[in-house]
Amino acid sequence: MKQGRLNAVREGRLLLSGNEAIARGAWEHGVTFAAAYPGTPSTEILEAIGEHYPEITAQWATNEKVALETVAGASYGGARTLSAMKHVGLNVAADPLFTLSYVGATGGIVVVSADDPGMHSSQNEQDNRLMARAAKVPILEPSDSQDALDLVGWGLEISERFDTPVMLRTTTRISHSLSVVQAGPRREFPPKGYTRDIRKRIPIPAFAKGMHARVEKRTLDLSAFGETFPLNLSIAGSRSLGVITSGVSYQHAREVLPDASFLRLALTWPLPWDLIGRFLAEMKEVRVVEEGEPFLEEQIRAHFLAPVEGKKYISLEGELEPGLARRALAPETVEPPVFAPAQVPQRPPTLCPGCPHRGAFWVLNRIKAGSTSDIGCYTLGLMPPLEAVDTVLCMGAAITVLSGLEKALGRDAVAGRIVAAIGDSTFIHSGITGLIDMVYNGCTGTVLIMDNGITAMTGGQQHPATGFSLRGEPARKLDLEAVCRACGVDRVTVVDPHDLKSLERILKEEMAVPEVSVVITRRPCVMIRRPEHRAVAVLDPAKCVSCRRCMSLGCPALSFVDGRPVVNAMLCYPECRLCADVCPKGALTKDAGGAR
Amino acid sequence: MSDEARNILLCGTGGQGILFASEVICGAALLAGFDVKKSEVHGMAQRGGSVSSHVRYGRKVWSPMIEAGRAHLVLALEKLEALRWAHFLRGDGMLLACDLEIMPLSVNTGQAEYPDVSAGLEAMGVPFRFLGAVEEAAGLGDPRVANTVMVGAAARWLGLPPGTLEESLRMRLPAKALAVNEAALQRGMQLTAGV
């Protein structure tokens, strides 16, 4: 979502999302280079930088590892930097992160990890505070947008002062919640320039041993710094109950416990032991309120051998919200529900009307083939009636999982039965290495690159094969067919996924050939293409035989009422004619130029 | 307004303009000098799925999310979503819903039935009103401004100073989209004037 017109106000009292506030913080605190790969709930950070802050060089990287490595290079040059990614993106960037922790930062490095408790748009609920601690990187956790803005500044300062990358860890309800911030001017921090320093930047064992010793001392220094860190807030209230908390959990807990004392930590690793010890000593009872893992709770219990409780009250699973917080922390204030929830059908997300992927999955379903699939809108091909997705693991795994299946069970187990289905952006992110591996190791599977010309699921971001940069400027366009051929694939075919007959023929042919083949299904995402006409599908009831074949598309614009399909003209996508093409009786038609 | 935060829950389906509608209300609350928070989810949930936006404003707001049973107003752009979120209302709350039915895939594929929303709300005992916002918006020349019609209809439950919604709209829209949205806001206000 873009809130551009709000943001255009340059200073003063603004209502910003956490992500917009992080972008603003990067700008105010002198960041000059930022790189990211899109991923909900982190995407809007780089989008906002790209849209509003031309002083920052901002770019979409091919993946999170690449993003963090380019940020490392910029930091080596003395530039203030920021990289942003969703929680699982940090897994991809873990390799540079863990060693960057040893190498440290010249210009400040803030790595935003946007976690997704509740899995609104993710495949797991990993708590990346554990990742940062494993990498021995300090963690800053904002509780609202003002914190997010301020903590970017603090993160850069801590990064430079303690010579370390810093994780700024948000969650969905920080990144995608709006709250009021006081926006200020930009302070310039021009890059200091690059100085060769091999003992600092080359972690060969002889040097890395010293680096590790430095990291351990740094951790102690950061813990001491946290004792007086101004955003670690101690809020005096009743001494009968004290709450230690961080992030959005602080807001939910404060909502339901207006009288309690709070220790709201913003620097959550390493922890300020004296500050926590004093709080524990003053309180009759202390509870730790945090989503996800018992990160604070276990450390505090282990350090003080104190009977603080957290996960006894707050679930490890899902996200916290004020109702859950009230039942867990202030059950005496729970009011009986006034209205009981109604039982209603779920409304899960679906492929859009006109979606290019619908044609591909419809054909797979028709030829009784499934797919090892990947991360993107096309995951939704699992839903009835298309039901053509078998597996999803992580970015890029469509291709490699298919290879593994073939290696374990032989060609007959996959040929004609299952293909790999991966999007264009995901293929570039981490599918290419899998394709090289597939060819190198003698596999024979078929890979569908579902090329809709955009990173779609996250709202439409550019990538190397779109030919445009983050700011929409022309960029060298990656040639996907040439990449596949260079990987060693001789059979590369391009087809429009809405050309159902051709796609079916090509898929059958390619799956029958005992060598790796790539079928690129190329058609633009409906969100990026402005239709050239306004046609709507029309039913001729006299020809309709109620066979429901049109309904096998799972198109949201079609419903079935009294034995006939009904077209929702508001939803029907003008340049899609899949329902007309699958109708065996010509009862559904769609003509360009038809009245709306 | 009392110290207690005002809680407005907006809901509907992806693509209906819920986020814009909630942004207009938040902008007005900001102009009125309130502390404001709003929470919603993006990404996968927006592909035609159920979408909600929590809006809270007052002297001081803590949680960005509304607790079930504490919304002053549920503003629904689709009827089934109105029924899904109706239990978020307080006993003295009000539910306004656009009289529009968008079938979930499970209904289209015959696995579920679209419920009788009026009967469902009546059974719950929720005070509600359906509004023909899409027809009203179409009458103004653009059915897509149904969301703004609904914001106008909600105005009398929002407790915001006169003129702030209008000003918030003006801050958010380019000139060519402004006139029809201003008309939609006014039309919405008229729709509930007599309630």
Side-chain angles (χ1 to χ4, degrees):
Chain A
M1 183 189 52
K2 295 197 169 70
Q3 307 233 337
R5 285 168 297 277
L6 274 182
N7 249 338
V9 183
R10 298 302 284 193
E11 287 182 34
R13 193 166 165 263
L14 302 181
L15 187 63
L16 298 185
S17 71
N19 283 347
E20 291 168 324
I22 290 169
R24 179 86 197 188
W27 181 78
E28 289 189 13
H29 295 283
V31 165
T32 56
F33 180 74
Y37 182 81
T40 311
S42 73
T43 312
E44 298 85 355
I45 298 169
L46 263 280
E47 286 189 320
I49 291 175
E51 192 175 347
H52 303 300
Y53 307 120
E55 294 88 344
I56 302 176
T57 300
Q59 58 194 43
W60 291 126
T62 42
N63 65 34
E64 295 85 354
K65 174 177 164 357
V66 170
L68 185 53
E69 290 160 355
T70 51
V71 153
S75 164
Y76 294 176
R80 286 199 149 187
T81 59
L82 180 138
S83 184
M85 54 202 71
K86 68 181 295 168
H87 58 338
V88 286
L90 192 74
N91 301 341
V92 179
D95 201 355
L97 180 71
F98 276 62
T99 304
L100 196 56
S101 173
Y102 278 33
V103 168
T106 304
I109 301 174
V110 168
V111 181
V112 181
S113 169
D115 295 7
D116 190 16
M119 292 180 281
H120 297 285
S121 197
S122 301
Q123 63 269 43
N124 76 23
E125 287 188 297
Q126 75 184 54
D127 183 337
N128 272 359
R129 297 178 302 176
L130 295 173
M131 285 286 280
R133 186 173 63 167
K136 307 216 165 185
V137 164
I139 305 167
L140 297 172
E141 289 189 76
S143 294
D144 59 19
S145 296
Q146 182 71 59
D147 280 345
L149 193 161
D150 294 340
L151 285 173
V152 174
W154 277 108
L156 292 163
E157 189 175 324
I158 290 169
S159 174
E160 290 167 0
R161 184 163 148 198
F162 293 90
D163 197 3
T164 178
V166 171
M167 176 190 282
L168 179 63
R169 187 253 188 179
T170 73
T171 56
T172 298
R173 297 293 178 180
I174 295 296
S175 281
H176 288 173
S177 290
L178 284 72
S179 60
V180 181
V181 304
Q182 197 63 39
R186 174 171 168 92
R187 289 190 302 153
E188 294 292 347
F189 288 82
K192 293 187 275 279
Y194 173 70
T195 310
R196 184 167 188 259
D197 184 351
I198 59 168
R199 298 190 72 86
K200 175 164 177 53
R201 301 217 179 91
I202 305 179
I204 53 170
F207 298 161
K209 284 171 186 163
M211 292 178 184
H212 188 187
R214 187 184 70 78
V215 167
E216 297 307 329
K217 175 169 185 311
R218 179 179 80 198
T219 299
L220 298 175
D221 292 346
L222 278 161
S223 174
F225 172 81
E227 303 290 354
T228 55
F229 180 51
L231 269 70
N232 282 343
L233 305 174
S234 195
I235 297 141
S238 157
R239 294 190 171 196
S240 57
L241 178 63
V243 174
I244 301 178
T245 184
S246 66
V248 77
S249 300
Y250 164 68
Q251 308 289 1
H252 300 321
R254 194 98 201 249
E255 180 83 32
V256 302
L257 292 170
D259 300 323
S261 293
F262 283 83
L263 181 57
R264 194 293 301 257
L265 297 172
L267 175 57
T268 56
W269 193 89
L271 288 173
W273 298 120
D274 290 348
L275 184 64
I276 295 170
R278 285 197 300 278
F279 189 78
L280 291 178
E282 285 171 5
M283 299 299 143
K284 200 167 135 209
E285 185 194 351
V286 170
R287 290 186 192 170
V288 180
V289 180
E290 57 189 328
E291 293 172 319
E293 297 298 316
F295 181 76
L296 300 172
E297 178 190 353
E298 283 183 351
Q299 290 184 79
I300 292 167
R301 226 186 305 172
H303 188 90
F304 294 100
L305 301 175
V308 296
E309 296 287 356
K311 289 297 144 186
K312 184 173 166 188
Y313 300 99
I314 308 288
S315 177
L316 276 157
E317 298 163 33
E319 68 173 1
L320 193 57
E321 48 88 21
L324 283 173
R326 187 179 300 283
R327 287 195 287 283
L329 302 169
E332 69 283 359
T333 66
V334 172
E335 290 168 11
V338 186
F339 303 116
Q343 292 301 311
V344 295
Q346 290 303 303
R347 193 192 296 273
T350 56
L351 296 174
C352 302
C355 177
H357 303 327
R358 179 168 286 107
F361 287 127
W362 188 84
V363 170
L364 284 175
N365 181 296
R366 178 178 157 80
I367 64 174
K368 298 187 169 51
S371 64
T372 55
S373 191
D374 222 299
I375 309 291
C377 291
Y378 43 93
T379 304
L380 298 171
L382 89 148
M383 305 284 287
L386 297 169
E387 297 179 285
V389 168
D390 290 42
T391 71
V392 171
L393 184 59
C394 61
M395 294 288 283
I399 295 172
T400 37
V401 165
L402 181 67
S403 297
L405 270 175
E406 182 178 351
K407 285 291 171 179
L409 303 176
R411 170 170 162 76
D412 290 348
V414 297
R417 297 188 184 183
I418 189 159
V419 298
I422 185 169
D424 42 341
S425 189
T426 307
F427 176 70
I428 297 163
H429 177 285
S430 49
I432 296 172
T433 46
L435 186 61
I436 295 169
D437 179 272
M438 194 180 187
V439 174
Y440 172 60
N441 286 308
C443 295
T444 64
T446 299
V447 176
L448 246 66
I449 300 177
M450 306 175 98
D451 179 10
N452 60 3
I454 202 78
T455 313
M457 176 61 94
T458 43
Q461 289 76 35
Q462 305 295 342
H463 62 66
T466 67
F468 293 96
S469 72
L470 179 144
R471 288 198 164 96
E473 293 146 352
R476 172 72 184 232
K477 192 173 191 290
L478 183 72
D479 182 337
L480 289 177
E481 295 93 307
V483 167
C484 295
R485 286 191 203 100
C487 290
V489 181
D490 294 329
R491 300 184 66 91
V492 180
T493 320
V494 180
V495 60
D496 177 352
H498 280 207
D499 180 353
L500 301 172
K501 287 198 171 75
S502 299
L503 178 59
E504 180 175 336
R505 175 180 53 76
I506 290 166
L507 273 179
K508 283 178 174 167
E509 277 171 21
E510 297 305 317
M511 288 168 89
V513 176
E515 66 180 75
V516 175
S517 55
V518 169
V519 178
I520 299 174
T521 59
R522 181 166 289 151
R523 188 179 178 86
C525 173
V526 296
M527 294 196 310
I528 59 170
R529 173 153 171 90
R530 180 185 289 271
E532 285 172 5
H533 55 80
R534 307 190 74 184
V536 168
V538 177
L539 179 78
D540 179 350
K543 291 184 182 171
C544 177
V545 293
S546 305
C547 69
R548 296 186 69 105
R549 196 144 186 264
C550 50
M551 301 308 292
S552 68
L553 291 163
C555 177
L558 285 177
S559 48
F560 204 71
V561 181
D562 299 331
R564 297 271 189 276
V566 176
V567 178
N568 182 330
M570 278 181 56
L571 294 178
C572 184
Y573 185 72
E575 292 185 345
C576 169
R577 42 174 299 118
L578 286 178
C579 59
D581 288 346
V582 303
C583 178
K585 299 292 177 189
L588 278 161
T589 52
K590 192 159 184 180
D591 297 311
R596 191 162 198 176
Chain B
M1 197 186 295
S2 70
D3 269 8
E4 187 190 28
R6 179 78 55 151
N7 299 324
I8 315 294
L9 190 113
L10 294 94
C11 58
T13 73
Q16 283 195 291
I18 307 251
L19 303 190
F20 177 76
S22 63
E23 201 187 306
V24 171
I25 295 171
C26 283
L30 194 69
L31 287 168
F34 291 122
D35 188 22
V36 186
K37 287 189 179 173
K38 150 167 135 116
S39 187
E40 58 223 4
V41 293
H42 308 170
M44 188 185 237
Q46 281 181 286
R47 298 286 165 277
S50 171
V51 174
S52 64
S53 178
H54 299 232
V55 171
R56 308 191 69 205
Y57 47 91
R59 195 180 59 79
K60 173 68 196 168
V61 178
W62 296 109
S63 174
M65 295 169 76
I66 299 170
E67 214 177 318
R70 294 184 188 239
H72 296 80
L73 177 72
V74 169
L75 188 62
L77 299 191
E78 198 277 342
K79 282 168 73 178
L80 173 57
E81 298 308 312
L83 190 54
R84 188 188 312 283
W85 293 97
H87 67 285
F88 265 68
L89 277 180
R90 293 155 47 114
D92 60 353
M94 179 69 184
L95 184 147
L96 294 178
C98 177
D99 186 9
L100 174 70
E101 296 183 352
I102 299 176
M103 303 295 145
L105 202 56
S106 57
V107 172
N108 282 346
T109 55
Q111 293 165 302
E113 275 192 32
Y114 195 94
D116 181 336
V117 174
S118 287
L121 292 172
E122 274 162 21
M124 288 171 76
V126 167
F128 70 95
R129 180 142 178 211
F130 290 147
L131 300 165
V134 176
E135 292 75 21
E136 296 290 345
L140 296 169
D142 189 349
R144 292 173 302 177
V145 298
N147 57 348
T148 308
V149 173
M150 291 302 292
V151 172
R156 51 173 302 179
W157 285 274
L158 297 178
L160 293 168
T164 50
L165 285 170
E166 291 85 344
E167 177 60 20
S168 179
L169 258 192
R170 279 194 287 276
M171 286 171 67
R172 276 163 187 78
L173 288 173
K176 63 174 179 164
L178 186 58
V180 68
N181 274 281
E182 284 181 325
L185 193 72
Q186 294 308 320
R187 184 67 197 122
M189 289 175 176
Q190 290 163 10
L191 287 177
T192 51
V195 176

